[in-house]
């Protein structure tokens, strides 16, 4: 979730929690030349979120409310009372404010919302997962991926047999979280797999990165490899990408109701 148009109007029909909490920025870093990440210390212990959700972000001195997806796991919030956001620069006031005015020590307010999330029942078998991200749409997908790794580390009895992540960005620089994702996949190669794609720097790609867009054959390969009657797909990216991917997924045999997505604008 990003916020180039009015976030509150666009998400008016979405579910929201009641808790509004103060959160302090305790760390910042540049994830790429255009993306800045924030680590927030959340004050209200009643604030929780599910992997894939976003927060209404109320910034000091700014009338317009931002909407940014968490890129960290719900488990990190439970353990440390912190959550991470990664914000791509734009002229939209909340994103611009975060890039140009936010500093460590800044206090803002957040409220959790969103209906696309992964929150499995630990006592029931979990479907295989196909996670697909485009650009800064990696945020909620990375949150889901990190939630999966947290659950696997806790010796998840009913874990999926396969979790695959397909991640497309315009440039190598924009493949944020790339090394983190690779590290987790190398630790659990029997369950986790990952393929990245770069669409505008095909001459610079290496053996790990495809220099093209995600195509139907990529989706067919994943669906056939999983061979699960209970496959669940999560997508986040720009609307044209989501529409195209949904059509391709249906064409390779995925039921439309098994595809969940979050658009960013």
């Amino acid at each position: 979730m990003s916020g180039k148009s009015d976030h509150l109007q666009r998400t008016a029909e979405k579910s929201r929690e009641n808790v509004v909490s103060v959160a302090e920025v305790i760390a910042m870093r540049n994830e790429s030349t255009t993306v800045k990440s924030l680590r927030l210390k959340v004050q209200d212990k009643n604030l929780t979120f599910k992997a894939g959700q976003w927060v209404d972000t109320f910034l000091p001195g700014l009338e317009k409310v931002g909407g940014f997806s968490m890129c960290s796991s719900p488990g990190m919030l439970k353990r440390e009372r912190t959550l991470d956001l990664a914000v791509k620069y734009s002229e939209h006031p909340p994103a611009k404010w975060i890039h140009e005015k936010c500093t460590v020590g800044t206090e803002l307010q957040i409220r959790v919302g969103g209906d696309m999330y992964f929150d499995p029942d630990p006592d029931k078998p979990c479907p295989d997962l196909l996670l697909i991200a485009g650009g800064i749409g990696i945020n909620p997908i990375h949150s889901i991926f990190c939630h999966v790794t947290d659950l696997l580390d806790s010796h998840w009895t009913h874990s999926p047999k396969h979790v695959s992540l397909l991640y497309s960005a315009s440039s190598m620089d924009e493949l944020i979280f790339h090394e983190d994702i690779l590290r987790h996949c190398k630790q659990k190669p029997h369950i986790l797999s990952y393929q990245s794609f770069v669409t505008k720097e095909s001459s610079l790609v290496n053996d790990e990165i495809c220099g093209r867009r995600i195509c139907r054959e990529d989706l067919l390969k994943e669906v056939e490899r999983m061979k699960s009657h209970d496959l669940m797909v999560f997508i986040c990216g720009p609307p044209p990408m989501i529409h195209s991917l949904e059509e391709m997924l249906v064409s390779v045999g995925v039921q439309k109701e098994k595809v969940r997505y979050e658009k960013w604008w």
Side-chain angles (χ1 to χ4, degrees):
M1 173 67 63
S2 173
K4 293 181 181 178
S5 57
D6 188 274
H7 166 68
L8 291 182
Q9 290 181 2
R10 194 178 60 249
T11 61
E13 301 302 317
K14 302 292 186 180
S15 301
R16 281 179 163 81
E17 301 299 322
N18 293 323
V19 177
V20 178
S21 177
V22 172
E24 180 186 356
V25 178
I26 61 171
M28 301 179 68
R29 74 175 188 180
N30 294 322
E31 298 291 346
S32 74
T33 54
T34 64
V35 178
K36 189 181 294 289
S37 66
L38 313 178
R39 178 155 293 181
L40 305 180
K41 187 78 170 184
V42 180
Q43 290 190 9
D44 193 323
K45 293 183 180 180
N46 292 313
L47 186 142
T48 61
F49 73 92
K50 300 178 179 70
Q53 289 188 300
W54 37 261
V55 283
D56 296 330
T57 310
F58 305 91
L59 303 169
L62 197 65
E63 182 177 352
K64 192 171 285 290
V65 176
F68 304 109
S69 296
M70 277 68 75
C71 56
S72 53
S73 72
M76 190 174 84
L77 179 60
K78 291 178 182 178
R79 294 188 300 268
E80 306 172 14
R81 299 308 305 161
T82 61
L83 60 82
D84 291 347
L85 306 177
V87 180
K88 188 177 178 69
Y89 179 83
S90 76
E91 291 297 315
H92 184 61
K96 186 178 176 70
W97 188 93
I98 285 173
H99 275 259
E100 296 182 353
K101 295 185 178 181
C102 188
T103 61
V104 172
T106 294
E107 288 191 345
L108 46 88
Q109 292 184 309
I110 58 174
R111 176 176 58 199
V112 172
D115 298 316
M116 186 201 83
Y117 54 79
F118 175 64
D119 186 33
D121 185 331
D123 297 321
K124 295 181 180 179
C126 181
D128 287 349
L129 299 177
L130 176 55
L131 311 176
I132 309 175
I136 198 61
I138 188 61
N139 278 331
I141 299 301
H142 189 254
S143 177
I144 293 171
F145 182 81
C146 290
H147 188 42
V148 168
T149 63
D150 275 357
L151 292 172
L152 291 174
D153 287 340
S154 68
H155 306 292
W156 191 6
T157 305
H158 298 290
S159 68
K161 294 180 180 178
H162 299 288
V163 177
S164 183
L165 171 54
L166 304 180
Y167 177 19
S168 176
S170 60
S171 67
M172 304 276 281
D173 181 56
E174 293 297 305
L175 283 174
I176 63 173
F177 312 134
H178 177 71
E179 295 300 327
D180 179 67
I181 295 166
L182 281 176
R183 176 175 58 82
H184 283 296
C185 289
K186 289 176 180 177
Q187 290 173 351
K188 297 178 176 65
H190 57 295
I191 296 180
L192 305 176
S193 64
Y194 170 52
Q195 181 61 63
S196 53
F197 301 79
V198 169
T199 60
K200 295 182 179 179
E201 291 181 345
S202 58
S203 62
L204 300 180
V205 299
N206 52 41
D207 292 340
E208 294 178 342
I209 303 171
C210 292
R212 56 175 175 80
R213 298 181 185 277
I214 300 169
C215 69
R216 183 179 184 276
E217 286 68 30
D218 299 311
L219 302 179
L220 179 61
K221 176 184 175 183
E222 295 300 330
V223 171
E224 289 186 339
R225 184 171 66 85
M226 292 181 179
K227 292 190 180 301
S228 171
H229 297 296
D230 222 3
L231 171 66
M232 184 63 67
V233 184
F234 290 90
I235 313 174
C236 186
M241 175 187 177
I242 290 175
H243 178 72
S244 175
L245 287 170
E246 185 177 37
E247 287 189 338
M248 287 190 283
L249 285 162
V250 171
S251 77
V252 299
V254 178
Q255 296 176 2
K256 194 169 184 177
E257 59 268 24
K258 298 293 186 180
V259 181
R260 301 180 183 179
Y261 52 79
E262 185 77 75
K263 298 177 182 178
W264 58 264
W265 291 259

